[in-house]
Amino acid sequence: DEWKDRGSAVVARKEADRDSSPTTRVVKKGVKDFNFGRTLGEGSYSTVLAATDRTTLKEYAIKVLDKRHIIKEKKVKYVNIEKDTLNILGDHPGIVRLYYTFQDERSLYFVLDLATGGELLGFLKRLSTFDEECTRFYGAQILDAVAYMHSRGVIHRDLKPENVLLDDKMHIKITDFGTAKILAPPKPPPGDGSDYYQGDPMGGIDDTRANSFVGTAEYVSPELLTEKAACKASDLWAFGCIVFQLLSGRPPFKAANEYQTFQKIVHLEYEFPKGFPPVARDLVERLLVLDPTKRFTIDYIKSHKFFEGIEWGRKLWQQKAPRLK
Ligand code: ATP
């Protein structure tokens, strides 16, 4: 069976029978449980529709994937990665949550958080640039979500403003985990016998998919281009590109074609536009570092002066988003 459905969300309904001995029946959601509405967007292998749960009236985004098309294009692996990572990352306000998965003869269905605001890129294009306050807030939310995924052993590998969606509170929800990498769970320290988390001794280095380019040209890290290896720090390179882009309106490395973009990246060839805030410049310069082991780590980014005043963790998600201007 090509489409494993293990671990998918189910709805448990408690019922008492006549003898009042309680039984639990597990009822799986299906297409019939939703009213499908407007199209939110189309991907290469999917259509995303707004939908309402007929019972609870809660609104979702349902990603509908065409099974035949995915098999023909050999994308089964990516669909499974997306589902597996979303199941691992089930509970962070900054990551699109996967509630249910089901299928019919033709399609696979992923029931997701509805991000009514659409892509962060759309807002950036409309405003052309964000001011420092908005960049600080959205940068902080993105970083907090990335910190969470890294703590759960997931590297996104394709962070960019198109993959950052906004919900009805104008808070971010990171999406598109089809090219993510799930790191092997760390082994406990020898002789210890406990499952104490020691961190990943390889720093998340992954060379298992040599020669397969993942990601988007403008945000791809130099180590992926030169060593064919992505690690947690590769997401922080992309984060540096995003901070640069929010403040200046364009990504730091951009050329007429992919090859020229890659050349710029491996030679660290980029320039700050006039008027780029100096504190933000300092942060970006510590992120756009060719050697991933010398790049700023999440803890250093969080305590950098650019993020002064940010309350990390739960409070960041209770805060009112600054008005985009
Ligand atoms: P591709 O598969 O070609 O890389 P994609 O990753 O954008 O494209 P989808 O994930 O199917 O493809 O998304 C299609 C569109 O639907 C996107 O443009 C996105 O803006 C929108 N979309 C995706 N998920 C949601 C969501 N949870 N809420 C609102 N809109 C969404």
Side-chain angles (χ1 to χ4, degrees):
D1 178 15
E2 196 113 45
W3 310 103
K4 291 174 287 176
D5 229 6
R6 112 194 103 72
S8 67
V10 287
V11 184
R13 192 187 291 160
K14 273 207 161 171
E15 286 179 355
D17 64 16
R18 264 198 212 103
D19 312 322
S20 79
S21 64
T23 54
T24 302
R25 217 171 59 182
V26 173
V27 181
K28 205 171 184 313
K29 292 268 183 190
V31 178
K32 290 196 289 295
D33 294 300
F34 297 90
N35 280 324
F36 287 81
R38 69 189 187 281
T39 301
L40 298 165
E42 310 238 9
S44 325
Y45 310 96
S46 49
T47 302
V48 181
L49 302 160
T52 311
D53 183 318
R54 288 181 198 271
T55 320
T56 63
L57 301 183
K58 186 175 156 64
E59 284 194 288
Y60 296 95
I62 300 188
K63 182 161 168 166
V64 185
L65 301 115
D66 182 65
K67 290 201 268 196
R68 265 181 47 199
H69 186 49
I70 290 165
I71 293 168
K72 201 171 85 214
E73 301 291 321
K74 300 195 164 42
K75 301 293 174 190
V76 174
K77 187 175 133 194
Y78 299 102
V79 174
N80 285 325
I81 288 172
E82 180 160 25
K83 181 174 158 181
D84 292 344
T85 47
L86 288 174
N87 278 326
I88 292 171
L89 303 175
D91 198 25
H92 189 277
I95 295 169
V96 165
R97 182 160 162 189
L98 177 64
Y99 292 87
Y100 317 103
T101 58
F102 43 83
Q103 57 181 311
D104 57 23
E105 208 178 321
R106 226 178 113 174
S107 310
L108 299 174
Y109 299 84
F110 286 10
V111 182
L112 302 158
D113 271 325
L114 174 64
T116 48
E119 298 170 7
L120 184 64
L121 185 68
F123 287 90
L124 184 61
K125 282 189 169 162
R126 261 168 271 162
L127 292 160
S128 86
T129 59
F130 283 9
D131 65 8
E132 271 188 84
E133 187 198 6
C134 291
T135 304
R136 180 167 13 264
F137 177 77
Y138 286 107
Q141 287 211 328
I142 294 167
L143 189 71
D144 198 69
V146 170
Y148 174 76
M149 62 178 99
H150 286 183
S151 78
R152 307 296 311 256
V154 173
I155 311 176
H156 189 287
R157 299 201 293 194
D158 197 15
L159 289 173
K160 54 180 172 177
E162 283 125 289
N163 288 338
V164 178
L165 304 179
L166 292 160
D167 66 14
D168 51 354
K169 291 194 306 196
M170 285 299 281
H171 284 187
I172 67 129
K173 298 244 180 237
I174 295 181
T175 186
D176 210 352
F177 286 84
T179 48
K181 169 78 190 171
I182 304 171
L183 299 169
K187 291 191 179 64
D192 165 301
S194 75
D195 54 1
Y196 173 63
Y197 185 80
Q198 279 285 57
D200 172 27
M202 293 292 284
I205 296 278
D206 163 40
D207 57 3
T208 56
R209 37 165 64 230
N211 300 318
S212 65
F213 168 66
V214 234
T216 303
E218 279 85 10
Y219 305 85
V220 80
S221 61
E223 60 272 17
L224 198 98
L225 297 172
T226 56
E227 316 287 327
K228 310 249 187 307
C231 52
K232 288 176 179 173
S234 314
D235 280 346
L236 300 176
W237 172 278
F239 178 71
C241 293
I242 295 170
V243 171
F244 179 105
Q245 183 174 1
L246 295 181
L247 288 164
S248 65
R250 57 169 175 88
F253 308 99
K254 198 172 172 57
N257 57 51
E258 277 196 352
Y259 176 75
Q260 286 171 14
T261 301
F262 295 161
Q263 287 299 307
K264 287 190 167 185
I265 293 168
V266 298
H267 295 111
L268 200 64
E269 211 180 295
Y270 75 104
E271 268 169 48
F272 290 95
K274 274 206 301 287
F276 196 94
V279 177
R281 178 182 175 134
D282 184 85
L283 175 65
V284 169
E285 283 174 344
R286 292 170 195 273
L287 289 166
L288 300 184
V289 171
L290 290 177
D291 180 348
T293 65
K294 303 220 165 76
R295 210 168 285 154
F296 244 19
T297 57
I298 289 177
D299 287 340
Y300 281 107
I301 305 169
K302 284 185 174 175
S303 46
H304 189 272
K305 202 163 170 27
F306 181 71
F307 287 118
E308 203 170 82
I310 290 287
E311 296 185 277
W312 299 99
R314 196 179 294 273
K315 282 219 171 128
L316 183 58
W317 303 92
Q318 292 163 346
Q319 211 183 307
K320 195 168 177 290
R323 199 172 61 83
L324 282 172
K325 53 199 170 297

